[in-house]
Amino acid sequence: MSTIGDLVSLIRGAVFQVFILCSPVLGAALIIGLIIAIFQATTSIQEQTLTFLPKMLVILAALALLGGWMFATMRGYTINLFSMIPDIAR
C-alpha cells in the first residue's frame, strides 16, 4: 500500500514533468513577444494583431524541433508510471 508521501511525490513529479515539457515552448513565445513589443515601442506601431503570427510560427517551430524530445520524455515518464502500478496496488 502506498503512503501519502508516495502520492505527493508522484504528483510533484507530474507537475515537474509538465513544467519541463512546457518551458521551452513558452520561453520561445516569451522571447519573441518581447522582441516584437520592443519593435512596436520603438517604431510606434501599435497594431495588436502583429504579435500573433510571429508567435504562432515560433511556437510551431519549437514544437517541430523539440517534439521528438518531448515525446521521448513523456514516454519515459509514462512507462515509469505504468511500472509503478503493481507497487501502488499492494
Side-chain angles (χ1 to χ4, degrees), residues 21 66-76:
L21 290 176
L66 299 174
W69 168 77
M70 292 172 131
F71 179 73
T73 303
M74 198 64 201
R75 186 187 73 215

mmCIF file of all heavy atoms in Angstrom, residues 21 66-76:
data_model
loop_
_atom_site.group_PDB
_atom_site.id
_atom_site.type_symbol
_atom_site.label_atom_id
_atom_site.label_comp_id
_atom_site.label_asym_id
_atom_site.label_seq_id
_atom_site.Cartn_x
_atom_site.Cartn_y
_atom_site.Cartn_z
ATOM 1 N N LEU A 21 8.302 20.117 -19.862
ATOM 2 C CA LEU A 21 7.849 19.997 -21.241
ATOM 3 C C LEU A 21 7.324 21.318 -21.801
ATOM 4 O O LEU A 21 7.459 21.576 -22.997
ATOM 5 C CB LEU A 21 6.778 18.915 -21.353
ATOM 6 C CG LEU A 21 7.275 17.488 -21.157
ATOM 7 C CD1 LEU A 21 6.107 16.522 -21.192
ATOM 8 C CD2 LEU A 21 8.306 17.113 -22.189
ATOM 9 N N LEU A 66 11.482 20.369 -31.034
ATOM 10 C CA LEU A 66 11.557 19.690 -29.736
ATOM 11 C C LEU A 66 10.508 18.596 -29.556
ATOM 12 O O LEU A 66 10.436 17.987 -28.487
ATOM 13 C CB LEU A 66 11.407 20.722 -28.615
ATOM 14 C CG LEU A 66 12.472 21.805 -28.576
ATOM 15 C CD1 LEU A 66 12.126 22.842 -27.532
ATOM 16 C CD2 LEU A 66 13.833 21.207 -28.323
ATOM 17 N N GLY A 67 9.694 18.357 -30.578
ATOM 18 C CA GLY A 67 8.616 17.371 -30.447
ATOM 19 C C GLY A 67 9.117 15.975 -30.146
ATOM 20 O O GLY A 67 8.536 15.257 -29.326
ATOM 21 N N GLY A 68 10.211 15.567 -30.783
ATOM 22 C CA GLY A 68 10.760 14.237 -30.532
ATOM 23 C C GLY A 68 11.247 14.083 -29.103
ATOM 24 O O GLY A 68 11.007 13.065 -28.449
ATOM 25 N N TRP A 69 11.945 15.122 -28.615
ATOM 26 C CA TRP A 69 12.416 15.083 -27.235
ATOM 27 C C TRP A 69 11.241 15.080 -26.256
ATOM 28 O O TRP A 69 11.268 14.355 -25.257
ATOM 29 C CB TRP A 69 13.323 16.281 -26.975
ATOM 30 C CG TRP A 69 13.632 16.488 -25.533
ATOM 31 C CD1 TRP A 69 14.521 15.781 -24.785
ATOM 32 C CD2 TRP A 69 13.021 17.438 -24.658
ATOM 33 N NE1 TRP A 69 14.510 16.243 -23.492
ATOM 34 C CE2 TRP A 69 13.597 17.257 -23.395
ATOM 35 C CE3 TRP A 69 12.061 18.422 -24.833
ATOM 36 C CZ2 TRP A 69 13.234 18.030 -22.307
ATOM 37 C CZ3 TRP A 69 11.707 19.192 -23.750
ATOM 38 C CH2 TRP A 69 12.289 19.000 -22.499
ATOM 39 N N MET A 70 10.230 15.893 -26.544
ATOM 40 C CA MET A 70 9.059 15.948 -25.667
ATOM 41 C C MET A 70 8.356 14.589 -25.617
ATOM 42 O O MET A 70 7.962 14.116 -24.551
ATOM 43 C CB MET A 70 8.084 17.023 -26.143
ATOM 44 C CG MET A 70 8.592 18.416 -25.996
ATOM 45 S SD MET A 70 7.477 19.554 -26.803
ATOM 46 C CE MET A 70 7.279 20.744 -25.515
ATOM 47 N N PHE A 71 8.210 13.970 -26.787
ATOM 48 C CA PHE A 71 7.558 12.670 -26.835
ATOM 49 C C PHE A 71 8.373 11.618 -26.094
ATOM 50 O O PHE A 71 7.811 10.813 -25.341
ATOM 51 C CB PHE A 71 7.335 12.240 -28.285
ATOM 52 C CG PHE A 71 6.678 10.904 -28.405
ATOM 53 C CD1 PHE A 71 5.335 10.752 -28.116
ATOM 54 C CD2 PHE A 71 7.404 9.798 -28.792
ATOM 55 C CE1 PHE A 71 4.726 9.525 -28.214
ATOM 56 C CE2 PHE A 71 6.813 8.565 -28.890
ATOM 57 C CZ PHE A 71 5.466 8.414 -28.594
ATOM 58 N N ALA A 72 9.685 11.614 -26.279
ATOM 59 C CA ALA A 72 10.533 10.627 -25.600
ATOM 60 C C ALA A 72 10.496 10.815 -24.086
ATOM 61 O O ALA A 72 10.442 9.835 -23.334
ATOM 62 C CB ALA A 72 11.964 10.732 -26.121
ATOM 63 N N THR A 73 10.508 12.070 -23.647
ATOM 64 C CA THR A 73 10.442 12.343 -22.213
ATOM 65 C C THR A 73 9.109 11.892 -21.630
ATOM 66 O O THR A 73 9.055 11.254 -20.573
ATOM 67 C CB THR A 73 10.640 13.846 -21.956
ATOM 68 O OG1 THR A 73 11.881 14.243 -22.522
ATOM 69 C CG2 THR A 73 10.637 14.159 -20.482
ATOM 70 N N MET A 74 8.028 12.204 -22.343
ATOM 71 C CA MET A 74 6.708 11.810 -21.856
ATOM 72 C C MET A 74 6.531 10.292 -21.893
ATOM 73 O O MET A 74 5.906 9.713 -21.006
ATOM 74 C CB MET A 74 5.635 12.504 -22.710
ATOM 75 C CG MET A 74 4.291 12.528 -22.086
ATOM 76 S SD MET A 74 4.367 13.513 -20.597
ATOM 77 C CE MET A 74 2.946 12.881 -19.772
ATOM 78 N N ARG A 75 7.097 9.651 -22.911
ATOM 79 C CA ARG A 75 7.017 8.191 -22.996
ATOM 80 C C ARG A 75 7.750 7.548 -21.825
ATOM 81 O O ARG A 75 7.240 6.619 -21.184
ATOM 82 C CB ARG A 75 7.606 7.710 -24.311
ATOM 83 C CG ARG A 75 7.428 6.212 -24.519
ATOM 84 C CD ARG A 75 8.157 5.723 -25.727
ATOM 85 N NE ARG A 75 9.581 5.727 -25.395
ATOM 86 C CZ ARG A 75 10.553 6.007 -26.232
ATOM 87 N NH1 ARG A 75 10.284 6.319 -27.480
ATOM 88 N NH2 ARG A 75 11.802 5.990 -25.852
ATOM 89 N N GLY A 76 8.932 8.048 -21.503
ATOM 90 C CA GLY A 76 9.683 7.515 -20.369
ATOM 91 C C GLY A 76 8.950 7.704 -19.054
ATOM 92 O O GLY A 76 8.921 6.799 -18.209
#
